[in-house]
Amino acid sequence: MPLLDVNNLSVHYDGIAAVNSVSFRVDERETVVLIGANGAGKSSLLRAVFGLIPSEAQKLDIGGIDFWQRSPRDRVAAGLSLVPETRDLFPRMTVEDNLKLGLFLKKAERAFPSELSRICDLFPVLAKRLKQIAGTLSGGEQQMLALGRALLQGPRLLCLDEPSLGLAPKLVDDVYAMLAKVRDTGVSILLVEQQARRALDFGVRGYVLNVGRIVAAGTCAELKEDEYVKGAYLGEMPS
Ligand SMILES: Nc1ncnc2c1ncn2[C@@H]1O[C@H](COP(=O)(O)OP(=O)(O)OP(=O)(O)O)[C@@H](O)[C@H]1O
Ligand SMILES: [Mg+2]
């Protein structure tokens, strides 16, 4: 059974479709990537999945249950967790307090020490900086913090909106290494990326979004060999 199953999802801004009848699914323990250029509708799609913006859909099931009319809070409680494009940290709060917010929904403050040590094991870079003010972290560290906070929610499906955005290649390597560790813990991942090669090297299955529509889908191995994907997204000339 798919963990997330979406049928004909659309988002309109002022009557113009930014996401146009998009259907996709993510299975249990699967890593799915969604690639697309600037303005393709990637962030709008993720925001709609979380119920953060108005949208239309035929179906939005989480774990086989209909969540279409349910609140963002319910969707998170059902196991979805988002690392937004803008990271949305609280810059004047400490790293530790930002992490604590990951437990807000569960009202599980007592669980914080054990959850915190789990996250610190995964992210040694955060462990060293728990008392530091979040706004003074480097870009890469902020991305780790956003990821750590999302993981504190104990998600079944971690959704990431361009985690490599604005990071130097070395830091992008670090973020992907972290994601690989997260995947190894059994969490499903929906990764939205503009850096197509990175994403296709990381994922198992993928979709290509172009001007709001899915224009290609398949295993990442298939997509890497697809002439259209190669030409438009991987910077390769047609052979
Ligand atoms: N609040 C809004 N009001 C009007 N138009 C919007 C709004 N948000 C996004 N759009 C438009 O919708 C389209 C899709 O935007 P979106 O941010 O979802 O794309 P994206 O694939 O995430 O792009 P990027 O790679 O730059 O993050 C764009 O044409 C954008 O200008
Ligand atoms: Mg975006």
Side-chain angles (χ1 to χ4, degrees):
M1 183 204 302
L3 189 47
L4 175 66
D5 196 0
V6 175
N7 259 359
N8 291 331
L9 177 72
S10 297
V11 176
H12 291 88
Y13 299 114
D14 301 324
I16 298 168
V19 177
N20 204 334
S21 291
V22 164
S23 300
F24 69 99
R25 60 163 225 282
V26 183
D27 289 337
E28 205 80 56
R29 291 179 168 267
E30 204 181 18
T31 300
V32 172
V33 301
L34 194 123
I35 59 177
N38 277 129
K42 305 182 298 298
S43 297
S44 300
L45 185 150
L46 272 189
R47 292 174 68 75
V49 164
F50 279 80
L52 297 170
I53 52 173
S55 59
E56 304 99 56
Q58 237 168 32
K59 169 169 162 179
L60 192 151
D61 284 3
I62 302 171
I65 296 167
D66 177 13
F67 271 78
W68 170 234
Q69 300 293 346
R70 308 277 289 272
S71 67
R73 169 185 274 262
D74 287 348
R75 297 180 199 198
V76 171
L80 301 194
S81 190
L82 176 65
V83 182
E85 191 173 9
T86 44
R87 291 165 199 165
D88 298 357
L89 299 172
F90 290 85
R92 293 192 196 169
M93 288 168 56
T94 63
V95 167
E96 185 170 347
D97 284 344
N98 268 278
L99 285 171
K100 226 175 221 174
L101 290 170
L103 288 180
F104 168 72
L105 255 188
K106 299 200 162 145
K107 298 195 175 92
E109 202 148 330
R110 260 180 295 146
F112 187 63
S114 64
E115 283 299 289
L116 183 65
S117 73
R118 183 173 72 88
I119 297 301
C120 286
D121 287 345
L122 265 178
F123 302 92
V125 62
L126 292 182
K128 281 187 278 180
R129 299 182 179 276
L130 290 175
K131 303 296 177 200
Q132 189 169 329
I133 299 297
T136 63
L137 294 175
S138 72
E141 290 163 353
Q142 291 194 16
Q143 187 58 262
M144 298 293 179
L145 176 52
L147 189 50
R149 184 181 57 185
L151 286 174
L152 267 170
Q153 294 169 352
R156 296 161 74 191
L157 174 61
L158 179 68
C159 301
L160 302 115
D161 193 351
E162 298 205 49
S164 62
L165 193 72
L167 299 184
K170 166 71 179 75
L171 289 177
V172 177
D173 290 345
D174 292 349
V175 168
Y176 272 87
M178 285 303 156
L179 286 181
K181 280 205 214 173
V182 170
R183 168 165 64 187
D184 291 344
T185 66
V187 175
S188 306
I189 294 179
L190 174 60
L191 172 66
V192 166
E193 260 295 359
Q194 199 174 140
Q195 293 197 21
R197 180 165 300 282
R198 284 268 185 189
L200 291 175
D201 283 343
F202 183 74
V204 172
R205 210 159 53 73
Y207 299 87
V208 179
L209 191 66
N210 183 35
V211 205
R213 288 184 188 275
I214 303 257
V215 291
T219 66
C220 289
E222 285 165 353
L223 289 172
K224 279 194 274 190
E225 291 308 315
D226 183 287
E227 290 302 325
Y228 163 73
V229 174
K230 281 205 273 189
Y233 296 92
L234 299 175
E236 292 178 25
M237 303 298 277
S239 48

